[in-house]
């Protein structure tokens, strides 16, 4: 299997002033080609540090991707250091000079000497065109390793990769076929999940690996199959999906990049159903989970944010009696909220939240993290009481997630 | 100067399934302490790769931060490998066991064996409490290097760093006195900002450095003063703050970690004023910016999410005539929405949004990114038309930001 190392050069990434998104993007693209990233590194604009990482990478990888350090200013050293590392000179490259000249001409700007020097390349470098900027890409086949140097500006780097580098890599390497499948689950923790699927995990064939990708409220399972025949791998993974599906069916909400609210939105559209929300403790976050997805206006009508009790009374028709006797964080109140918004907005379904997100507002019998949620459907209301133990933001997020999952399970006739 | 190396462990980051934001955050925190990050690395869940990077880091750094690989599942190897690397056993740690037991008890869940094993620590590790999750942090002083191992879940890692690790680092290392001040600006781009403050930037004393930390919609300016007398540094920075404030006063909304909505919320509380929202294109995101902050119930009454036009009519009193003649994305509609929610919820102020977030729904005269916002105040309405060019999520975020900033400027009598 071809091994890749990805190196970013620059103090601003090393010191954290910029978030590096290039290495993630590059490794995902390599992954699709079956090229395995074995190391990612960031070093600063220091000659010694850069030479050190080049020497290390040469021992580890078959192909090394270097981004950054190609700007026209003094602190950008990559080109000089690559020339030294590969023991060659910097020389003006005619095609590179032509490109940089056109780049400035097109923009009606003067070509300064410092910009003209962008066309100076190590003589051992193959020129790789950068149609988006002034710093060319470079391709070296030296020391038994393939080296690709690109500017750090994300859109320039991506363009160079897609237009020039990826096609060359496919030609250059004989890579195995890799097939990934990501299973997304909700409503169960990583450890409980692994208990449920352990027997299945243990019987996976050698060439199919499982990885857990947990995040708050959501656990992703990634299957990676390696072989030489894509359709065969897909078939084998499909068989394993069937098996695991039979073990954790009701926790699986989607695959690959599907988001929970997106999946539920699709189910609503399929049923030509509409949704409204009545939010107290989630304060708009629940609605945002739906409305951040393109096309949500096809089913999402709107909602009432009833943070203050008076709004619950006036806009949702919650009776003062309920608020006095049971309080806003109660099953009676959440029922009234869900039914109230469903009726007023005329939606098929309505979701409601009311709870204590914290850090303040908790009481003996209703501590921080106590949240009531409800789903009003065409023939009734379902309620759930959540007991959460997170920060304010986590409690808000998990409450929204629980609401959306409640609707998902209802739409799939999977409510216990 | 103390040298730090930051290592992330896990295939999901190495292969690009997850974007690593931990290393950026850690390096920024270290920078504040005057600890210099010299290398960032990501390796996979492979014993050999992990041992190799540990050996390399030991040669480069005085302190090594390791995140990830501490989950309860089989593919998480960090703890076992650290025990082997430091030549010691794994043993049940009483405090860790107590924490993980309480963690599950608090959530009314059963402690499975695999979760109980989260309390197994290398005997040479100092236990570091993780109040947010089940994987404890670990602190080793071995091989002449300080080693800090933390879970990869960002909110757990950050909590451990802030509560436990950063204070210990200050004690452990003799670092120079460093004083930071972060100035937060909104409504102006990085390059325009730098034009406005260039003269001030050039006259800064040698020992006070300026860094730009740009993010979408917000640009942070970080002043870093290095010396030996904290109170003197604070006084010197205060003088510089006065100078820069006179140059960009109306763009500065806060300092340090203050969030825009938090600042505006405080201004509302000071005025004993209340706020409601009427959201169309922001779909709950605007309200969430306020309600995610503790104490927002002191001024935030609630709102109407009027995604569908019928909801604008029924719940906000927007006339059908306006929707037919001007459409939902218009100055007339946004005025009616803001006044409508202000009247119905009886709030002092009301903010409203209506626009085309994209990617679809754009027209010739109202392209994607066209957004109207409005502020209804006690004596009238102020409107603004935004022309945004971002993704759907960026357009939603920038619309919310513009609304909140509009209210901020009104409250400060700074509306142009």
């Amino acid at each position: 299997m071809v091994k890749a190392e990805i190196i970013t050069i620059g103090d601003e990434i090393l010191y954290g002033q910029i978030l590096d998104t290039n290495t993630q993007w590059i490794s995902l693209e390599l992954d699709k080609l079956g090229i395995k990233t074995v190391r990612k590194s960031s070093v600063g604009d220091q000659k010694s540090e850069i030479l050190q990482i080049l020497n290390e990478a040469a021992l580890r990888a078959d192909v090394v991707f270097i981004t950054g350090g190609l700007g026209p200013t003094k602190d950008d050293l990559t080109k000089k250091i690559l020339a030294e590392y590969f023991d060659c000179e910097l020389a003006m490259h005619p095609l590179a000079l032509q490109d940089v000249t056109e780049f400035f001409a097109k923009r009606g700007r003067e070509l300064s000497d410092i910009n003209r020097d962008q066309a100076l390349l190590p003589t051992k470098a193959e020129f790789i065109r950068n149609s988006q900027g002034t710093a060319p890409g470079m391709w070296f086949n030296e020391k038994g390793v393939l080296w690709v140097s690109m500017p750090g500006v994300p859109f320039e780097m991506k363009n160079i990769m897609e237009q020039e580098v990826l096609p060359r890599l496919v030609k250059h390497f004989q890579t195995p076929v890799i097939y990934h499948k990501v299973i997304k689950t909700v409503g169960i923790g990583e450890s409980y999940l692994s208990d449920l699927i352990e027997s299945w995990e243990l019987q996976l064939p050698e060439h199919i690996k499982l990885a857990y990708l947990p995040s708050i409220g959501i656990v992703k399972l990634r299957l990676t199959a390696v072989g030489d025949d894509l359709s065969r791998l897909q078939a084998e993974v499909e068989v394993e999906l069937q098996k695991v599906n039979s073990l954790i069916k009701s926790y699986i909400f989607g695959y690959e990049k599907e988001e929970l609210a997106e999946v539920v939105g699709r189910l609503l559209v399929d049923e030509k159903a509409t949704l409204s929300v009545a939010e107290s403790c989630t304060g708009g976050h629940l609605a945002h989970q739906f409305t951040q997805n393109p096309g949500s206006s096809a089913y999402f009508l709107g909602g009432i944010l009833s943070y203050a009790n008076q709004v619950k009374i006036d806009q949702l028709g919650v009776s003062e009696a309920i608020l006095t006797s049971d309080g806003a964080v109660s099953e009676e109140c959440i029922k009234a909220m869900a039914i109230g918004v469903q009726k007023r907005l005329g939606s098929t379904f309505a979701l409601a939240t009311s709870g204590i997100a914290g850090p303040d507002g908790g009481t003996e019998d209703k501590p921080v993290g106590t949240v009531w949620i409800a789903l009003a459907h065409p023939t009734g209301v379902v309620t759930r009481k959540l007991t959460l133990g997170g920060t304010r933001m986590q409690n808000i997020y998990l409450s929204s997630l629980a609401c959306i999952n409640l609707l998902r399970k209802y739409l799939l006739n999977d409510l216990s």
Side-chain angles (χ1 to χ4, degrees), chain A:
Chain A
M1 187 162 206
V2 179
K3 293 180 180 173
E5 174 145 350
I6 306 168
I7 300 167
T8 66
I9 295 176
D11 289 343
E12 62 281 359
I13 284 177
L14 193 62
Y15 301 156
Q17 285 164 15
I18 293 181
L19 175 65
D20 166 39
T21 56
N22 284 347
T23 55
Q24 180 194 25
W25 188 89
I26 293 171
S27 54
L28 278 174
E29 290 302 311
L30 296 177
D31 193 48
K32 292 183 198 158
L33 300 186
I35 295 175
K36 187 183 182 192
T37 303
V38 295
R39 180 72 72 93
K40 294 176 176 178
S41 307
S42 292
V43 295
D45 295 310
Q46 300 282 335
K47 184 177 176 183
S48 59
E49 293 178 17
I50 297 169
L51 283 171
Q52 185 188 31
I53 187 70
L54 294 178
N55 281 310
E56 292 172 15
L59 301 174
R60 276 190 294 256
D62 306 304
V63 54
V64 178
F65 298 86
I66 304 163
T67 63
L70 294 180
T73 54
K74 262 186 258 29
D75 56 338
D76 288 307
L77 304 171
T78 305
K79 237 164 33 175
K80 289 188 204 65
I81 291 173
L82 286 174
E84 175 179 332
Y85 183 63
F86 296 128
D87 189 24
C88 63
E89 300 301 311
L90 285 174
M92 192 58 71
H93 192 288
L95 289 177
L97 181 59
Q98 189 183 321
D99 279 2
V100 71
T101 309
E102 277 172 16
F103 185 91
F104 280 85
K106 254 205 207 131
R107 289 158 179 73
R109 282 157 52 193
E110 177 127 355
L111 181 64
S112 63
D113 292 351
I114 162 167
N115 286 319
R116 154 182 263 275
D117 287 352
Q118 290 285 70
L120 283 172
L121 298 190
T123 52
K124 285 184 179 171
E126 273 182 58
F127 164 71
I128 300 181
R129 168 155 289 147
N130 174 6
S131 59
Q132 308 290 311
T134 62
M138 294 174 276
W139 173 286
F140 301 86
N141 199 338
E142 295 290 326
K143 305 180 186 242
V145 178
L146 202 62
W147 308 80
V148 180
S149 165
M150 298 174 287
V153 182
F155 75 89
E156 292 184 31
M157 180 280 293
K158 289 176 187 174
N159 184 268
I160 291 172
M161 281 290 281
E162 286 167 342
Q163 300 303 317
E164 304 284 340
V165 175
L166 292 173
R168 293 185 192 211
L169 289 173
V170 173
K171 275 195 216 131
H172 189 278
F173 290 113
Q174 310 294 333
T175 55
V177 177
I178 294 204
Y179 179 65
H180 285 288
K181 191 82 181 181
V182 174
I183 306 164
K184 300 184 80 171
T185 71
V186 63
I188 183 168
E190 181 180 10
S191 57
Y192 294 97
L193 195 61
S194 92
D195 288 345
L196 289 180
I197 64 176
E198 190 177 16
S199 56
W200 167 75
E201 193 175 346
L202 292 169
Q203 61 79 57
L204 282 172
E206 254 310 301
H207 66 293
I208 302 182
K209 298 249 174 294
L210 174 71
Y212 288 78
L213 314 178
S215 58
I216 179 161
I218 305 269
V219 178
K220 293 192 272 180
L221 300 171
R222 192 187 71 235
L223 284 168
T224 304
V226 182
D228 44 30
D229 177 351
L230 179 60
S231 55
R232 174 142 170 262
L233 292 178
Q234 287 172 324
E236 290 173 327
V237 167
E238 193 45 47
V239 170
E240 296 305 329
L241 285 181
Q242 301 297 338
K243 293 185 202 163
V244 73
N245 191 63
S246 69
L247 296 174
I248 53 171
K249 186 175 193 307
S250 69
Y251 299 109
I252 298 175
F253 69 85
Y255 299 90
E256 306 307 332
K257 292 195 183 305
E258 290 181 318
E259 297 296 340
L260 182 62
E262 187 189 346
V263 169
V264 172
R266 248 193 334 261
L267 292 173
L268 289 169
V269 171
D270 293 345
E271 295 209 356
K272 298 187 171 46
T274 57
L275 175 67
S276 65
V277 298
E279 301 188 55
S280 188
C281 66
T282 49
H285 182 272
L286 171 58
H288 174 59
Q289 299 314 300
F290 290 103
T291 57
Q292 68 182 295
N293 302 311
S296 45
S297 53
Y299 61 87
F300 187 77
L301 299 185
I304 310 281
L305 307 179
S306 56
Y307 227 54
N309 280 350
Q310 197 56 47
V311 180
K312 295 185 180 76
I313 296 165
D314 299 340
Q315 306 300 322
L316 289 170
V318 177
S319 76
E320 284 187 68
I322 288 178
L323 292 169
T324 326
S325 57
D326 307 73
V329 182
S330 67
E331 181 163 28
E332 284 315 303
C333 181
I334 203 68
K335 274 186 184 170
M337 286 172 65
I339 294 167
V341 76
Q342 180 190 35
K343 192 152 134 274
R344 282 159 192 247
L345 269 62
S347 58
T348 324
F349 298 99
L351 290 169
T353 65
S354 184
I356 300 137
D360 310 316
T363 64
E364 185 92 358
D365 56 332
K366 291 176 185 177
V368 167
T370 307
V371 178
W372 279 94
I373 63 172
L375 164 67
H377 53 78
T379 59
V381 195
V382 190
T383 64
R384 293 282 187 273
K385 184 186 183 183
L386 312 177
T387 311
L388 307 169
T391 62
R392 178 181 182 84
M393 194 52 228
Q394 288 160 11
N395 292 339
I396 290 171
Y397 175 78
L398 290 170
S399 301
S400 294
L401 217 54
C403 271
I404 304 170
N405 198 36
L406 184 63
L407 176 54
R408 181 186 72 91
K409 289 164 87 69
Y410 179 89
L411 291 168
L412 298 174
N413 301 309
D414 187 26
L415 271 191
S416 42

